[in-house]
């Protein structure tokens, strides 16, 4: 027994608390620690199958019934965590907003004999927050509402929380985390906390349970070996998208990330249609390399009409930047930013799918593989297979999987 610890998450809705809680919990479990999450939102939804507590009014400061019910839920979560730790539980994670000092004082009192650490999640990235709100609108608790109404409802809920928000201040053990950048902004620890070094490590590391990195299906431009553009899928490409959908039908994929280009969206839609529910989030960061003056030309035409481009790019493909366009090297930052969004928006233990492009997928893959820069533009990126990437603190694996066959042993994860 390595000691007991209580972690209480803090932060406004949609700031990445649950993803962080899961990441901490699952990684500790892999280390052999008995950790568990106590999530107030989940409890609320279980206690209210009708969805009456999903309306913004429920969260209004003036709603006495709502307040009482939220207090009851919080106390129930606390009691469950206490029971867990009184048994063989080691780390209890209270996943809730916990944004008032009063609520936090209650938590401190309930666990006065145990080490307790508050972890506050902030996210200063507006775009990531907006995308996260879009995702929340797809949650089952907003079933029955239009997307717009669901979004409005969630935004109003946040506004109610903002009115009562009291950031961490004088709690003895507290960490302020930027959940988008996976970094620790402030840290104040006044006693020796079990697992603390490991938890710091987990907070700042990006792990991938299952990332399916797919290239879009065949396009009309691919047929002619044309560069860039916004071409649609050919019949074969549509067929590839259907085959992917069939292949992943038994693998739960709650979000598919694409670029803004038609070909990735057309590939993702049939896959999403076989999943229930599934959000498609199009990120401009995953748009294909912009080939500047070479956009829409075939490689052959580039050799004929712009021989200096072919001459200069050939020997130095990674560093080469297309005139009026991008290069692998200049694209790296935006692709990395896209990946940060992916990690922020996806719940840690869920499968992730990215439907991207040849160059973009190479850049994504290179984030996980240790490859020399010069090798990146030559990474094999076929359209009839996808990369299955798994990275956890204990192992790393990369597999190139043909999708016309049945899903392998990981089906149903
Ligand atoms: O040909 C398809 C494509 O995605 C182009 O749009 C892009 O310019 C190219 O692949 C990237 O591959 P490479 O860097 O090998 O030219």
């Amino acid at each position: 027994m390595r000691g007991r610890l209580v972690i209480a998450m803090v932060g406004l809705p949609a700031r990445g608390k649950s993803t962080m809680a899961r990441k901490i919990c699952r990684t500790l479990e892999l280390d052999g620690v008995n950790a568990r999450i106590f999530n107030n939102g989940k409890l609320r939804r279980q206690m209210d199958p009708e969805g009456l507590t999903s309306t913004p009014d429920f969260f209004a400061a003036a709603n006495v019934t709502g307040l009482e019910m939220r207090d009851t839920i919080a106390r129930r979560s606390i009691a469950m965590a206490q029971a867990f730790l009184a048994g063989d539980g080691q780390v209890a994670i209270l996943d809730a907003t916990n944004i008032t000092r009063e609520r936090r004082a209650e938590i401190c009192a309930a666990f006065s004999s145990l080490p307790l650490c508050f972890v506050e999640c902030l996210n200063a990235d507006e775009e990531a927050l907006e995308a996260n709100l879009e995702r929340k609108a797809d949650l089952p608790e907003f079933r029955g509402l239009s997307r717009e109404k669901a979004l409005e409802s969630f935004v109003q809920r946040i506004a109610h929380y903002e009115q009562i928000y009291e950031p961490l201040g004088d709690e003895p053990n507290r960490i302020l985390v930027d959940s988008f950048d996976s970094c620790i902004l402030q840290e104040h620890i006044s006693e020796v906390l079990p697992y603390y070094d490991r938890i710091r490590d987990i907070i700042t590391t990006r792990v991938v349970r299952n990332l399916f990195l797919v290239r879009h299906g065949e396009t009309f431009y691919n047929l002619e070996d044309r560069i860039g553009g916004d071409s649609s899928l050919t019949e074969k490409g549509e067929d590839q998208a259907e085959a992917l959908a069939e292949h992943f039908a038994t693998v739960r994929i709650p979000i598919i990330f694409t670029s803004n280009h038609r070909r990735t969206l057309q590939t993702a839609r049939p896959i999403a249609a076989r999943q229930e529910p599934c959000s498609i989030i199009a990120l401009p960061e995953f748009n294909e390399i912009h080939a500047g003056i070479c956009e829409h030309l075939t490689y052959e035409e580039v050799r004929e009409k712009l021989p200096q481009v072919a001459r200069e790019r050939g020997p130095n493909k990674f560093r080469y930047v297309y005139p009026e366009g991008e290069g692998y090297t200049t694209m790296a930052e935006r692709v990395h930013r896209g990946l940060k969004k992916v990690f922020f928006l996806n719940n840690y233990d869920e499968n992730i799918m990215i439907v991207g492009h040849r160059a973009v997928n190479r850049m994504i893959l290179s984030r996980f593989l240790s490859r020399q820069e010069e090798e990146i533009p030559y990474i094999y990126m076929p359209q009839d297979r996808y990369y299955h990437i798994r990275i956890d603190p204990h192992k790393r694996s990369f597999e190139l999987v043909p999708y016309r066959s049945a899903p392998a042993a990981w089906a149903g994860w």
Side-chain angles (χ1 to χ4, degrees):
M1 201 59 142
R2 280 178 284 172
R4 294 190 165 91
L5 175 69
V6 181
I7 298 174
M9 307 305 294
V10 176
L12 289 166
R15 263 52 177 195
K17 296 184 299 299
S18 293
T19 299
M20 190 60 77
R22 285 181 203 222
K23 191 162 91 156
I24 296 171
C25 185
R26 302 290 173 255
T27 315
L28 287 176
E29 279 177 328
L30 285 173
D31 291 348
V33 177
N34 189 6
R36 192 174 296 169
I37 295 173
F38 300 87
N39 180 300
N40 291 12
K42 195 170 156 197
L43 209 54
R44 173 176 59 76
R45 287 184 288 275
Q46 278 166 0
M47 287 163 68
D48 168 35
E50 307 278 302
L52 301 174
T53 62
S54 295
T55 60
D57 285 351
F58 177 76
F59 298 90
N63 182 342
V64 180
T65 326
L67 272 179
E68 277 171 6
M69 186 159 168
R70 273 156 56 207
D71 282 344
T72 308
I73 293 167
R75 283 181 199 131
R76 202 172 283 186
S77 255
I78 290 173
M80 286 160 69
Q82 283 171 325
F84 172 68
L85 294 170
D88 57 2
Q90 293 172 295
V91 176
I93 305 173
L94 302 176
D95 182 13
T97 56
N98 298 324
I99 54 174
T100 60
R101 265 186 232 118
E102 193 185 335
R103 171 66 56 76
R104 294 196 292 268
E106 206 168 317
I107 295 173
C108 289
F111 297 100
S112 57
S113 59
L114 289 172
L116 163 66
C117 182
F118 288 98
V119 177
E120 178 167 359
C121 290
L122 281 186
N123 161 37
D125 190 285
E126 277 302 317
E127 274 176 35
L129 179 62
E130 255 169 52
N132 205 10
L133 295 183
E134 289 282 341
R135 196 197 163 197
K136 298 275 181 189
D138 287 333
L139 289 176
E141 69 174 302
F142 297 119
R143 216 177 358 229
L145 292 186
S146 68
R147 187 150 237 291
E148 266 170 24
K149 286 275 166 218
L151 209 56
E152 199 182 298
S153 166
F154 200 75
V155 168
Q156 281 175 20
R157 183 190 300 186
I158 295 180
H160 287 311
Y161 274 109
E162 271 166 344
Q163 279 178 7
I164 54 166
Y165 184 20
E166 294 166 318
L168 285 179
D170 52 8
E171 292 74 7
N173 301 313
R174 54 184 193 272
I175 322 177
L176 185 61
V177 175
D178 181 330
S179 46
F180 180 65
D181 265 327
S182 298
C183 67
I184 294 176
L185 300 171
Q186 281 173 29
E187 178 174 31
H188 180 100
I189 303 296
S190 57
E191 63 187 292
V192 177
L193 297 177
Y195 318 103
Y196 188 66
D197 288 346
R198 185 67 177 131
I199 289 167
R200 280 190 101 260
D201 211 37
I202 298 169
I203 289 173
T204 52
T205 310
R206 293 199 176 94
V207 277
V208 189
R209 295 296 293 277
N210 284 295
L211 167 59
F212 303 111
L213 183 63
V214 179
R215 187 174 165 206
H216 61 81
E218 183 194 77
T219 65
F220 291 100
Y221 265 31
N222 291 150
L223 276 182
E224 297 171 7
D225 218 9
R226 250 175 228 290
I227 297 171
D230 193 14
S231 179
S232 288
L233 297 188
T234 59
E235 208 172 301
K236 180 175 167 192
E238 285 171 5
D239 179 59
Q240 286 168 326
E242 287 300 335
L244 277 162
E246 177 67 31
H247 180 83
F248 284 105
T250 56
V251 182
R252 180 77 197 105
I253 300 171
I255 319 183
I256 305 177
F257 296 92
T258 66
S259 72
N260 285 139
H261 295 314
R262 224 173 274 171
R263 51 201 187 272
T264 58
L265 287 158
Q266 287 172 350
T267 307
R269 278 187 202 120
I271 307 172
R274 297 286 289 268
Q275 303 277 333
E276 204 31 64
C278 176
S279 318
I280 296 180
I281 301 183
L283 300 177
E285 287 87 348
F286 289 159
N287 287 353
E288 182 56 315
I289 189 169
H290 191 270
I293 58 169
C294 295
E295 280 282 309
H296 310 288
L297 299 179
T298 66
Y299 284 92
E300 190 55 43
E301 285 166 348
V302 173
R303 275 190 290 274
E304 279 167 19
K305 297 182 187 158
L306 300 163
Q308 80 286 2
V309 171
R311 234 185 356 257
E312 286 172 25
R313 189 169 195 249
N316 196 8
K317 209 171 159 189
F318 186 77
R319 301 239 150 253
Y320 182 81
V321 179
Y322 280 108
E324 296 170 35
E326 292 179 299
Y328 279 85
T329 174
T330 60
M331 203 174 64
E333 202 186 312
R334 71 160 162 96
V335 174
H336 182 45
R337 189 179 148 69
L339 269 178
K340 281 206 239 172
K341 283 190 182 173
V342 168
F343 285 112
F344 175 70
L345 294 172
N346 133 278
N347 271 331
Y348 165 67
D349 52 2
E350 293 177 344
N351 300 323
I352 311 173
M353 178 178 279
I354 300 175
V355 181
H357 303 263
R358 180 152 68 184
V360 156
N361 283 12
R362 285 173 176 156
M363 291 305 294
I364 293 173
L365 197 61
S366 74
R367 285 265 152 202
F368 304 105
L369 291 170
S370 31
R371 286 286 181 102
Q372 302 283 338
E373 283 185 349
E374 324 66 87
E375 292 174 28
I376 296 173
Y378 299 99
I379 297 176
Y380 185 45
M381 203 50 71
Q383 281 167 313
D384 60 350
R385 281 147 222 236
Y386 62 88
Y387 281 93
H388 180 189
I389 304 162
R390 278 180 267 190
I391 299 181
D392 67 41
H394 300 265
K395 66 171 186 295
R396 272 172 176 248
S397 73
F398 304 89
E399 205 188 336
L400 195 54
V401 188
Y403 54 74
R404 295 226 176 246
S405 56
W410 43 263
W413 282 13

